[in-house]
Amino acid sequence: MRIESIYRGWWVLAGLVLIYAATNGILMHTLPLLYPALIDEFGWSQVQVTLPATVFFVVAALASPPAGALLDRYSARAIILIGVIGIAIGLFVYSRVNELWQLVAVYVLFAIALSLSGLVSNMLIVTRWFLRLRGRATGILLMASSLGGAVFPLVLGHGMASFGWRGALMLFAALAAALTLLPLVFLVRSRPQDVGLEIDGGDAEDGHDAAKPARIRSGPTLREAIRQPRFYGIAFATGAVWFTIISLVQHQSIYLAKDLGVDRTLLPPIFSTFFACSVIGKFGFGWLSDRLDKGRTMNLSVGVLIAGLLMLRFVDGDDKTAMFAYAAVAGIGFSGAFTTIQLLIASFYAGASYGKILAVLTLMDTLAGALGTRIIGVIRENAGSYLPAFDLMIGCCVAAIVCVFVIGKKRSRPTTDRVCREMQA
């Protein structure tokens, strides 16, 4: 039964990988490629064209706590189903928009749908199926959005060349439906107990080490978590990183096309390189997190992100080699930071209230991402350059590193990581 549990867990993870690749890979990593085309067709400014994304992150943040509460109470699989249907519908409607308010409405739908089918729901299922290999499983899951980000920009570029941006979006609607509904039906299950199994290779029927996993499942409640200063330190650190990574993804296509004058045909390959290399970051830093302290691993990933931002700040738009080098380094840092944030949170708060706690922290992080998207656009319009914005983003990363270092120094009680090591000893 233990072998069967491990085997089934990896199939569940495979299904989640397909779903996460389609949802986040398209919405978060590919749609920003449309911004230059929208600016050209409708005459929108940088602030206007990124307004729907700003609204998206605000609505997604506000929807995260209710979604987390639903996930703690109802089937995660059913909630994901509702979300992916909404995404497919939204992509089709996107292809018909002609006004900015219509695009804002589409992004509101995207936000609600992704709050149900995105990071929180997928991470919840992973933490229910994996314990000893949680770092690697998380790295593989989060790697999926990077795989989507590597593939779908190329699909979008080909679709835009063949059918225009509207036709490409209709193609994406069909792809999103196929890549999410089939895995939900055939592979994904909300928890191992639904099929008579236990977490990470245990057997629900033999009672093996039943008392020890219960210590992990209990965890702190949301009320207990928010009473600790550490919670707000984690929120600040992860929020500062989200401010940076969301702003980078939303604005880099505009910076490359409009400020540096990069050939539009190069944007899809640059985006594809960025997210293809982020596969390395997600899996690599997930692997490292199983061997090193979570805080140190996060700081290492943020350091790589800073290196990527510095490369972007000083890159020459005519130097193709430098452009792709930036994409590789920034992609690794972006994805590594994103992955280690989730693992840092899980190391403190995995347990019965993990869905609620993760949802609240995701709310704060997503609001930071929305704020960053707006502030970076305003800086570009007022200063006429993205360079001051890059300086701000680098400063946020440095602040996050300092905060995580302080949290690590003050970590006094045994954490989930230590308990896990005790269980394995």
Side-chain angles (χ1 to χ4, degrees), residues 357-409:
I357 296 171
L358 179 60
V360 171
L361 287 170
T362 300
L363 181 152
M364 297 178 181
D365 291 344
T366 308
L367 285 176
L371 183 64
T373 301
R374 189 68 174 176
I375 288 177
I376 298 307
V378 171
I379 290 174
R380 169 60 180 81
E381 283 205 349
N382 292 337
S385 170
Y386 274 110
L387 298 185
F390 293 149
D391 294 336
L392 174 61
M393 294 158 71
I394 292 169
C396 287
C397 288
V398 172
I401 288 175
V402 173
C403 189
V404 171
F405 178 79
V406 172
I407 292 171
K409 286 292 185 181

Side-chain angles (χ1 to χ4, degrees), residues 298-337:
M298 178 175 167
N299 281 347
L300 178 61
S301 67
V302 176
V304 177
L305 176 60
I306 291 174
L309 289 169
L310 288 170
M311 294 175 69
L312 180 61
R313 193 189 191 288
F314 296 104
V315 73
D316 184 348
D318 294 327
D319 189 341
K320 294 182 180 179
T321 301
M323 296 297 302
F324 283 97
Y326 146 73
V329 174
I332 292 172
F334 151 81
S335 60

Side-chain angles (χ1 to χ4, degrees), residues 138 172 180 374 378:
T138 300
F172 271 21
T180 55
R374 189 68 174 176
V378 171

Side-chain angles (χ1 to χ4, degrees), residues 15-282:
L16 294 176
V17 163
L18 290 174
I19 295 168
Y20 201 58
T23 55
N24 276 54
I26 293 175
L27 297 189
M28 302 287 288
H29 303 333
T30 304
L31 293 187
L33 269 174
L34 293 172
Y35 292 161
L38 296 177
I39 290 173
D40 290 344
E41 181 164 338
F42 299 112
W44 296 336
S45 68
Q46 289 87 355
V47 172
Q48 287 176 312
V49 80
T50 56
L51 174 63
T54 302
V55 173
F56 167 87
F57 290 116
V58 172
V59 174
L62 297 176
S64 290
L70 289 173
L71 286 164
D72 282 337
R73 185 173 181 181
Y74 299 107
S75 166
R77 185 168 171 243
I79 290 172
I80 292 174
L81 174 63
I82 297 171
V84 298
I85 291 174
I87 289 173
I89 293 172
L91 288 168
F92 177 79
V93 175
Y94 192 163
S95 70
R96 319 310 300 170
V97 303
N98 291 295
E99 302 288 342
L100 184 59
W101 72 264
Q102 295 172 340
L103 188 57
V104 170
V106 168
Y107 269 77
V108 169
L109 174 59
F110 283 155
I112 296 172
L114 196 62
S115 70
L116 299 175
S117 61
L119 176 64
V120 175
S121 55
N122 283 269
M123 276 298 299
L124 182 63
I125 293 178
V126 166
T127 57
R128 287 173 173 172
W129 278 92
F130 294 93
L131 176 62
R132 287 170 291 182
L133 300 177
R134 183 175 292 161
R136 270 160 280 190
T138 300
I140 292 172
L141 171 67
L142 299 183
M143 177 181 70
S145 65
S146 297
L147 289 173
V151 172
F152 290 124
L154 299 177
V155 176
L156 181 63
H158 178 74
M160 291 176 68
S162 302
F163 316 112
W165 65 270
R166 296 182 187 273
L169 282 169
M170 294 181 69
L171 172 63
F172 271 21
L175 282 174
L179 291 174
T180 55
L181 294 178
L182 292 177
L184 273 175
V185 171
F186 295 108
L187 298 176
V188 176
R189 295 297 180 268
S190 297
R191 61 181 75 223
Q193 291 83 359
D194 293 344
V195 288
L197 301 172
E198 269 293 344
I199 188 170
D200 216 25
D203 182 1
E205 297 177 359
D206 64 12
H208 179 69
D209 282 338
K212 290 182 178 178
R215 295 174 63 190
I216 302 299
R217 287 197 298 268
S218 62
T221 65
L222 175 60
R223 181 175 296 181
E224 291 170 343
I226 62 177
R227 289 177 176 175
Q228 299 172 351
R230 179 176 62 196
F231 177 87
Y232 300 97
I234 292 173
F236 174 82
T238 59
V241 175
W242 268 67
F243 179 100
T244 301
I245 62 178
I246 297 301
S247 300
L248 176 62
V249 171
Q250 292 299 317
H251 284 275
Q252 67 176 339
S253 65
I254 304 174
Y255 175 65
L256 296 176
K258 295 295 184 179
D259 289 15
L260 297 185
V262 175
D263 190 329
R264 298 286 180 86
T265 61
L266 283 178
L267 292 183
I270 290 172
F271 264 57
S272 181
T273 300
F274 181 93
F275 291 110
C277 290
S278 72
V279 172
I280 300 172
K282 288 182 176 178

